[in-house]
Amino acid sequence: MRLKRGRGDRNIRFKPSDPLRVVYRLGQIRKMGRSRLPQDTRGPIRESSRAYEAAVLAMLTLAYALNFLDRQIINILAESIKRDLQISDTQLGLLTGTAFGMFYSILGIPIARLADRTHRVRILSAALMVWSVFTGLCGLAASFTQLFIARLGVGIGEAGGTPASQSLLSDYFPASRRATALAIFSMGLPIGTALGFVVGGYLDALVGWRHALAIAAIPGVLLALVILWFLREPHRGAADGIDGTAMERPPFGPAIRELLRKRGLLYPVIGGSCAIFVNYVCNAWLPAFYIRLHGMDVGQAGLWIGLCVMTGGSVGVLGGGILVDRCRPKMHSAEVIVPAVTTVIALIALFGVLLAETTRTAIVWMFVFYTFITAWMGPTNAVVQRTAPIRSRSLATGLQLLIGNIVSLAVGPALVGWLSDTFGRSHGVEGLRLALLCVPAAGLIGAGFYIAARRHLQAAPATA
C-alpha cells in the first residue's frame, strides 16, 4: 500500500488491488457521517453528506435483500424438504408462509413502536443477527415441527428490519427524493428473492438443502456487525426540516387510532397487501409449478425464476418509484394510480404464466409479471411515510407489515397449498395450477383499494 501525500485525505491513493481500500473508504465516509449527524437526538438539525446518504442507502438495501434471501430461499428448497421430511403441500405452505408470517406480522407493531422511541440502528443490527442465526438453524431441523419453530425465529428477527430501515431513510432523504430512495431500498426484494432462488437452487444441487440454509446465514451475521459500526442514528425529522425530537410521543393506543383513521394511508396499505399476497404466493409455489408441470429440475427452476425476479423485479421497483417522483408535481395521486395500473397488468401476465402451453412462453410472461407486480412498493412506502406523523413513522410501517403479512404470508401460501391438495385428489399435478388460478382475485381487490384511496389522498396533507 502506497500513500501519496498532499493537502488533506483527498490525495491519498491506493492501488486498486489493495484489500484495505474499501475499508478505508468506508471509514472516511463514516467520519463524514459522524461529523454531520448527531449520534443522539439532542443536537441541532444537520444534513448528512450525499456520499454518506448513498452508503447508508446501499447498506440498508443490502440488509433488505438478505431479509428476502433468508425468507424466500426455503421456497426453492421446498421440493427437497418435502421428500426428506415426508410432508404434504399443506405443511409446505405452513413452512413457507404461516410459520414465518405469524410472529413477523404480530411483532412488527411492538418493534416498530420501539423503533419510534429508541435507537433504530441497534434495533436493525440486532434483528439482522437474529434472523440470520435462525436461518442457519433451519438447516439442523430433523422434523416438520423443528423446522416450523426455526422459521418462527426467522420471522421474529425480520419483524425488526423493515420498520427501522424505512424510518431511517425518511430522516435521510427529503420528500422530493424519498420515493426514489425507498424504491431503491425496495429493490432488495427482487434482488434478495432472486438470490434465494438462484443460490438456493445451486446449493441444493451441490451440497443439499441443509447446507444451503447454513451458508445463507453467514452474510447476515457479518453485515449486522458492519451496520452497527457504520450507521449513525439521524435526527428525527431532519430531512423534512423539522425537529421531531421536540414533538410529543403519542401513546400507543391513540397513535394506532390516528393511523387507522387516515384513509389516505390505510387504503394504499390494503392495496399493497393484496399485491404482495399475489407476489408471495407466486414466490412460494412457482418453483413447484415449474418442476411439476414443466419438468424442470430444482436448479433450472431456481435459475429462471431468479433471473425474472432479479431483472423484472428490479425494473419494476425502481421504475415505479422514479415514475411517481416525476409525476407527483403534476398528479398528486400518482402514488396510488401507478400501483393500481401496474397491479392489473401483473394479473394479466400471471394468467399468461399459468395458462402458457410451452415453458418458454411461461418464462416470458413471468418476466412481465415480476416487472409489474413489484412496482407498487416504492410509491406505497412513500405515501405511508409521507402521511404518517413523524414520531409514528416506524409504527406506520409496522402496521403496514401487520396487515400485509397476515394476508400474504400467514394465510396465502398455506391456503394455496390446501387448495392444491384438494384439487389434486381429482386432477393430479394440475391441482396446483388450479389453485394458483384463484390468486389473481386478491390483486383485483388491491387495485380497487388503490383507486378508492385517490380521493382521500388528495384531501390529506403531507406530514411535513
Side-chain angles (χ1 to χ4, degrees):
M1 181 175 67
R2 294 183 300 179
L3 300 180
K4 293 183 180 180
R5 299 185 181 276
R7 292 184 300 170
D9 59 8
R10 292 183 179 179
N11 293 321
I12 296 178
R13 297 291 186 270
F14 290 94
K15 290 181 178 180
S17 59
D18 193 333
L20 298 179
R21 183 182 182 188
V22 174
V23 176
Y24 172 82
R25 184 56 182 159
L26 284 176
Q28 295 303 304
I29 296 175
R30 178 173 177 265
K31 288 181 180 179
M32 287 190 292
R34 294 187 64 178
S35 65
R36 296 178 180 232
L37 286 174
Q39 295 187 35
D40 54 42
T41 58
R42 293 173 293 181
I45 299 175
R46 301 176 184 176
E47 294 183 354
S48 60
S49 69
R50 288 295 181 94
Y52 189 74
E53 288 176 355
V56 169
L57 179 57
M59 286 196 176
L60 294 181
T61 303
L62 179 58
Y64 197 48
L66 293 178
N67 181 307
F68 276 89
L69 188 154
D70 292 345
R71 181 186 312 187
Q72 302 289 353
I73 190 172
I74 195 171
N75 295 327
I76 194 63
L77 305 176
E79 291 295 294
S80 298
I81 294 172
K82 180 179 179 178
R83 289 194 301 269
D84 191 10
L85 301 183
Q86 296 295 306
I87 58 179
S88 67
D89 278 354
T90 302
Q91 289 175 308
L92 272 182
L94 291 172
L95 289 174
T96 57
T98 307
F100 174 87
M102 187 181 301
F103 281 103
Y104 181 74
S105 302
I106 295 172
L107 292 180
I109 291 289
I111 295 178
R113 181 64 171 169
L114 186 64
D116 279 328
R117 302 171 68 90
T118 58
H119 202 286
R120 292 164 289 183
V121 173
R122 293 172 186 166
I123 290 175
L124 174 60
S125 178
L128 178 53
M129 181 69 72
V130 169
W131 88 60
S132 299
V133 170
F134 273 99
T135 297
L137 292 177
C138 287
L140 301 177
S143 67
F144 167 77
T145 302
Q146 293 178 5
L147 186 54
F148 188 91
I149 293 173
R151 286 287 290 175
L152 289 178
V154 177
I156 291 172
E158 293 197 10
T162 307
S165 295
Q166 290 193 9
S167 179
L168 285 168
L169 289 174
S170 296
D171 287 333
Y172 276 110
F173 294 89
S176 61
R177 295 188 288 130
R178 192 169 295 152
T180 299
L182 286 169
I184 294 173
F185 168 76
S186 298
M187 286 179 65
L189 188 155
I191 293 172
T193 302
L195 289 175
F197 283 128
V198 176
V199 176
Y202 174 77
L203 290 176
D204 184 27
L206 186 66
V207 296
W209 68 271
R210 297 182 183 277
H211 288 88
L213 289 168
I215 294 171
I218 297 174
V221 173
L222 299 177
L223 183 60
L225 299 176
V226 174
I227 285 176
L228 187 62
W229 167 74
F230 183 83
L231 264 62
R232 295 298 156 191
E233 183 74 11
H235 202 107
R236 295 181 190 269
D240 296 309
I242 297 174
D243 186 2
T245 60
M247 297 180 178
E248 182 181 356
R249 297 186 182 99
F252 179 76
I256 285 289
R257 287 194 293 270
E258 181 181 7
L259 292 174
L260 291 176
R261 283 196 300 264
K262 291 178 175 288
R263 295 186 181 181
L265 181 151
L266 184 61
Y267 285 2
V269 165
I270 297 175
S273 299
C274 294
I276 201 70
F277 174 93
V278 177
N279 196 346
Y280 281 177
V281 166
C282 290
N283 288 344
W285 287 108
L286 280 183
F289 173 80
Y290 280 106
I291 291 171
R292 298 179 192 179
L293 283 90
H294 288 273
M296 289 186 178
D297 58 35
V298 174
Q300 289 175 323
L303 176 62
W304 283 112
I305 297 174
L307 288 176
C308 289
V309 172
M310 174 77 79
T311 55
S314 298
V315 171
V317 171
L318 186 59
I322 294 175
L323 182 62
V324 166
D325 272 345
R326 293 189 176 182
C327 293
R328 191 163 166 259
K330 299 179 180 179
M331 184 191 302
H332 187 74
S333 55
E335 291 154 316
V336 292
I337 296 300
V338 169
V341 173
T342 56
T343 299
V344 172
I345 297 174
L347 299 180
I348 296 172
L350 179 57
F351 279 114
V353 173
L354 299 176
L355 300 176
E357 295 183 357
T358 65
T359 303
R360 180 177 299 180
T361 304
I363 291 173
V364 172
W365 277 115
M366 182 170 59
F367 172 81
V368 178
F369 167 74
Y370 276 113
T371 299
F372 287 95
I373 198 60
T374 53
W376 66 272
M377 297 189 65
T380 304
N381 293 338
V383 76
V384 168
Q385 295 298 310
R386 181 166 69 90
T387 56
I390 285 178
R391 294 308 304 232
S392 299
R393 280 175 169 169
S394 295
L395 184 61
T397 302
L399 179 64
Q400 182 183 8
L401 293 177
L402 174 64
I403 296 173
N405 290 293
I406 285 179
V407 173
S408 61
L409 284 176
V411 177
L415 176 61
V416 172
W418 176 78
L419 289 174
S420 176
D421 284 335
T422 302
F423 293 141
R425 296 188 186 103
S426 56
H427 295 83
V429 293
E430 287 290 329
L432 180 56
R433 191 201 305 269
L434 295 174
L436 289 172
L437 283 171
C438 300
V439 172
L444 289 176
I445 295 173
F449 270 100
Y450 275 122
I451 294 173
R454 182 180 180 184
R455 178 169 60 88
H456 300 287
L457 187 62
Q458 288 175 337
T463 297

